[in-house]
Amino acid sequence: MEQLYRRKIKSDQVITGELAKQLSALSFEIGRQIGILVGRDGTIYSVLIGNEREILIPDLTNLQFGKKGLRGVRLIHTHLKNEPLSEDDLTDLALLRLDIMAAVGVLPSGNPDRVYLAHLCPANPQGKVFEILPPVSIQQMNFPLAGFLASLEAELESGQKSHQVANGQEKAILISASLKSHIAQEESVDELAELARAARIFPIDRLIQRPKALHPKYLLGEGKLKEVIMKALQKQADLLVFDQNLTPLQVKAIGEVTEMKVLDRTQLILDIFAQRAVTREAKVQVELAQLRYRFPRLAERSTALSRLTGGIGGRGPGETRLEVDRRRARDRIARLERELESLAASRARRRIRRVEQRIPIISIVGYTNAGKSTLLNSLTESDVKTENLLFATLDTSTRRLRFPREREVIITDTVGFIQALPPDLLGAFRSTLDELKDAHLLIHLVDISSPHYQHKIETVESILTDLELSAIPRLLVFNKIDRIHADMVRAICKRYNAIAISSLQRETLNPLLFEIESQLWKESVSLQSR
Ligand SMILES: Nc1nc2c(ncn2[C@@H]2O[C@H](COP(=O)(O)OP(=O)(O)OP(=O)(O)O)[C@@H](O)[C@H]2O)c(=O)[nH]1
Ligand SMILES: [Mg+2]
């Protein structure tokens, strides 16, 4: 065995007859599988000893020759019963992106018989991950390696090129693994894709699994994970974005086997917030949420963490990078909390002043992208930033709105809601959201053109309950009616007893204005009507 280490395969073949003979004999003698990891230049990097039926491959992360391509290492091992490549062999081929997986069948005599070969495939319409070649006897084997690997890598690369996207956006594979129905998962992944877009990540593929039980280590099954790795290789993805929230250990484990950056839904949302925060208060709130979400993760000090600190997922608002150690994180959290407290104090003073003015306050709430800022703009002829992107608004905007008869209200627009809103984020935004408690009326704005508007209404209602706002009078208002048929609008509004508007068209807002007036000045309306 010692001799094997010093060897170099001086041939363009996967394996030479002489080496096959030696491996077979040794393997036969000890009754265990023997494997060798061989580099492109024929150097034998390691010799592996398995048991009768299988062999374990060590960590190969330091043997990374091409970053996105093949590993640059082939595995040649013995099969004592002369059996073909096993499921595990093929999994290793894919997971480790080996150049070639080869098994030498051993005869009862101890001599080598057939050689079983498999290699990875470039992207193909059938989604085939590997190719298993027909076995050939060692004497007849003629498989010129260098030419084959060069063309396979060229094909892999051209497959990857067709998926390249402009302006340097990172490319992601979206993944969902949950016990929920396929349809529910699809719906949620649609939203994840929108979130990715808002974070300037380009989703190139998606993969949804509904397993019988979730894999404790990887969330999705190992077979699926293999598929993910192949997809990533074929399409040159930069990161994996999970629709579910992952535990620190899962992030670490998935990062290790895939050698990719791993983000979960919460991190993605936090990332968007980090990119968009404008005011000091919003920046502090977002950074606090990021630190709090990652605090348990910092305990790990793993490669997964350092992976996360580059590019997406590592972007913090302002000057802070997140590769701080535990203690520094704790200090930073304490400092930010103090800063937030003082910011919250001045916010509270503004609140008191506003409440003392005894002007009614209306707050527009709703799912992200419902059109809240657009409505505020239309109602008050102002120009709060609106955009067809999730989480366009992070800061509260407050405007005055005048009604006839010298009546006036304060109207505010705030951050949008979303399903599975990260609790850390909700916590960090508490002072912003607390302002909603002063409202005399909440306008719950719904994008009627969203196929999932019902689900979104429920999500918003449940967040309002969590925020202890359910006691405040509420007006359900459907927006974007210009985008669907008038009959549909009528039917839906009747069912929900709601008002229909299009925030882009001021002339549609009159019924809403009328309703606001009569809700806020009930007594005076009833007095006048007497
Ligand atoms: N067709 C149509 N589009 C609308 C209407 N109202 C808003 N929009 C569009 O919907 C998108 C989102 O609008 P915003 O006002 O930014 O939505 P928002 O609720 O403030 O979103 P966040 O701040 O991200 O939570 C923008 O592209 C708007 O132009 C409408 O009545 N009809
Ligand atoms: Mg907005």
Side-chain angles (χ1 to χ4, degrees):
M1 212 157 308
E2 278 292 294
Q3 308 162 350
L4 281 173
Y5 271 112
R6 276 176 252 126
R7 288 278 291 268
K8 194 163 176 172
I9 302 179
K10 293 196 195 88
S11 159
D12 193 29
Q13 293 296 313
V14 176
I15 182 171
T16 59
E18 189 210 346
L19 187 60
K21 213 164 175 171
Q22 202 181 354
L23 285 177
S24 295
L26 258 175
S27 191
F28 182 73
E29 198 182 308
I30 61 173
R32 290 155 174 257
Q33 292 193 358
I34 293 181
I36 49 175
L37 287 166
V38 187
R40 290 273 165 96
D41 65 352
T43 306
I44 297 178
Y45 284 108
S46 42
V47 180
L48 318 169
I49 314 285
N51 61 22
E52 202 185 333
R53 265 166 294 111
E54 59 181 11
I55 201 160
L56 290 179
I57 304 176
D59 182 12
L60 297 182
T61 35
N62 51 347
L63 292 182
Q64 176 91 19
F65 297 122
K67 176 104 181 30
K68 293 278 162 55
L70 298 170
R71 178 84 46 184
V73 182
R74 61 187 183 274
L75 176 72
I76 303 163
H77 67 300
T78 53
H79 272 185
L80 285 169
K81 295 208 169 66
N82 202 3
E83 71 272 24
L85 291 172
S86 68
E87 195 55 43
D88 282 346
D89 290 335
L90 297 169
T91 303
D92 285 339
L93 171 67
L95 284 185
L96 303 171
R97 292 184 276 119
L98 297 171
D99 287 356
I100 295 273
M101 171 60 91
V104 177
V106 180
L107 291 169
S109 63
N111 280 323
D113 180 36
R114 286 183 286 185
V115 181
Y116 304 90
L117 292 181
H119 62 78
L120 297 174
C121 296
N124 55 78
Q126 297 80 33
K128 206 159 79 169
V129 169
F130 38 71
E131 183 77 50
I132 303 173
L133 303 177
V136 286
S137 78
I138 183 79
Q139 289 84 11
Q140 283 158 6
M141 202 176 73
N142 181 19
F143 191 84
L145 200 60
F148 169 77
L149 289 176
S151 68
L152 177 58
E153 283 195 321
E155 276 183 79
L156 279 169
E157 208 172 293
S158 74
Q160 291 164 351
K161 280 226 181 72
S162 63
H163 290 278
Q164 251 157 32
V165 273
N167 58 39
Q169 287 189 338
E170 288 195 272
K171 289 174 291 178
I173 297 180
L174 308 181
I175 300 172
S176 170
S178 147
L179 305 179
K180 287 190 193 152
S181 74
H182 213 275
I183 296 177
Q185 290 192 58
E186 276 285 355
E187 185 184 314
S188 186
V189 172
D190 284 344
E191 184 172 272
L192 191 70
E194 277 300 302
L195 286 169
R197 196 170 69 85
R200 300 192 192 92
I201 295 173
F202 188 78
I204 44 170
D205 211 334
R206 55 167 70 186
L207 206 137
I208 292 174
Q209 188 185 31
R210 187 190 187 188
K212 287 202 187 69
L214 292 170
H215 194 288
K217 200 166 163 198
Y218 302 128
L219 198 71
L220 72 172
E222 281 180 54
K224 274 282 167 200
L225 198 60
K226 183 171 72 179
E227 232 178 272
V228 168
I229 293 172
M230 281 317 301
K231 274 194 173 159
L233 175 64
Q234 291 172 334
K235 300 186 174 178
Q236 208 178 11
D238 301 294
L239 72 163
L240 304 177
V241 182
F242 280 76
D243 198 27
Q244 287 75 29
N245 286 334
L246 301 171
T247 66
L249 285 176
Q250 285 169 336
V251 171
K252 184 167 180 245
I254 298 166
E256 270 168 13
V257 306
T258 60
E259 295 175 49
M260 291 178 75
K261 246 185 327 190
V262 179
L263 280 189
D264 64 14
R265 186 179 241 266
T266 292
Q267 281 176 306
L268 183 60
I269 293 176
L270 290 175
D271 223 274
I272 299 170
F273 276 65
Q275 289 176 34
R276 298 182 162 245
V278 179
T279 63
R280 182 67 202 155
E281 193 173 20
K283 284 183 181 175
V284 172
Q285 285 170 328
V286 174
E287 195 183 341
L288 256 180
Q290 281 185 318
L291 282 168
R292 283 189 188 134
Y293 190 66
R294 261 178 241 178
F295 199 8
R297 286 165 167 74
L298 289 172
E300 308 289 326
R301 295 295 295 164
S302 67
T303 47
L305 181 68
S306 61
R307 245 180 264 280
L308 283 175
T309 50
I312 299 282
R315 279 191 287 228
E319 71 280 16
T320 322
R321 291 178 314 157
L322 287 162
E323 61 261 38
V324 282
D325 64 19
R326 233 180 133 76
R327 198 180 52 77
R328 276 177 57 205
R330 210 179 297 133
D331 290 350
R332 181 83 189 151
I333 288 178
R335 237 187 48 221
L336 290 170
E337 276 171 345
R338 276 197 304 275
E339 185 175 352
L340 195 59
E341 257 168 47
S342 77
L343 288 167
S346 57
R347 175 184 285 275
R349 281 193 295 278
R350 282 200 306 274
R351 266 176 75 182
I352 292 171
R353 225 175 299 140
R354 221 159 60 197
V355 174
E356 279 173 349
Q357 287 177 332
R358 297 182 167 275
I359 303 177
I361 299 169
I362 302 174
S363 288
I364 309 172
V365 295
Y367 212 82
T368 177
N369 212 41
K372 299 178 295 298
S373 304
T374 311
L375 177 60
L376 179 79
N377 288 343
S378 287
L379 283 173
T380 63
E381 290 175 77
S382 45
D383 56 354
V384 172
K385 182 166 168 260
T386 67
E387 207 175 342
N388 190 16
L389 265 191
L390 304 191
F391 298 115
T393 310
L394 291 190
D395 302 302
T396 316
S397 303
T398 297
R399 297 286 183 280
R400 281 175 186 245
L401 171 60
R402 286 185 188 285
F403 282 89
R405 292 190 287 274
E406 294 300 302
R407 283 168 175 170
E408 196 179 38
V409 299
I410 289 170
I411 184 157
T412 70
D413 161 41
T414 190
V415 54
F417 299 161
I418 195 165
Q419 58 158 329
L421 194 67
D424 290 309
L425 199 59
L426 213 52
F429 274 77
R430 188 144 291 259
S431 63
T432 310
L433 294 169
D434 262 352
E435 268 193 36
L436 293 173
K437 288 189 179 143
D438 299 334
H440 299 91
L441 180 66
L442 295 178
I443 294 179
H444 176 175
L445 197 65
V446 184
D447 175 356
I448 201 170
S449 71
S450 161
H452 312 303
Y453 73 87
Q454 273 169 306
H455 185 203
K456 290 180 176 176
I457 292 176
E458 288 159 21
T459 303
V460 171
E461 294 287 340
S462 112
I463 294 172
L464 289 176
T465 308
D466 287 349
L467 294 172
E468 298 168 14
L469 297 168
S470 32
I472 301 175
R474 211 170 319 159
L475 216 52
L476 191 67
V477 179
F478 283 104
N479 186 31
K480 309 197 190 179
I481 56 167
D482 54 295
R483 297 181 67 181
I484 71 165
H485 197 278
D487 291 344
M488 279 275 278
V489 173
R490 257 192 299 279
I492 294 172
C493 285
K494 197 164 165 216
R495 188 158 81 236
Y496 282 89
N497 189 24
I499 300 169
I501 60 166
S502 168
S503 300
L504 292 176
Q505 300 163 337
R506 275 186 63 88
E507 63 278 10
T508 66
L509 302 181
N510 284 334
L512 174 62
L513 288 167
F514 180 81
E515 191 58 35
I516 291 173
E517 225 185 336
S518 67
Q519 288 257 350
L520 290 177
W521 291 281
K522 264 182 200 131
E523 298 109 293
S524 47
V525 169
S526 52
L527 274 177
Q528 274 164 10
S529 58
R530 238 184 262 156

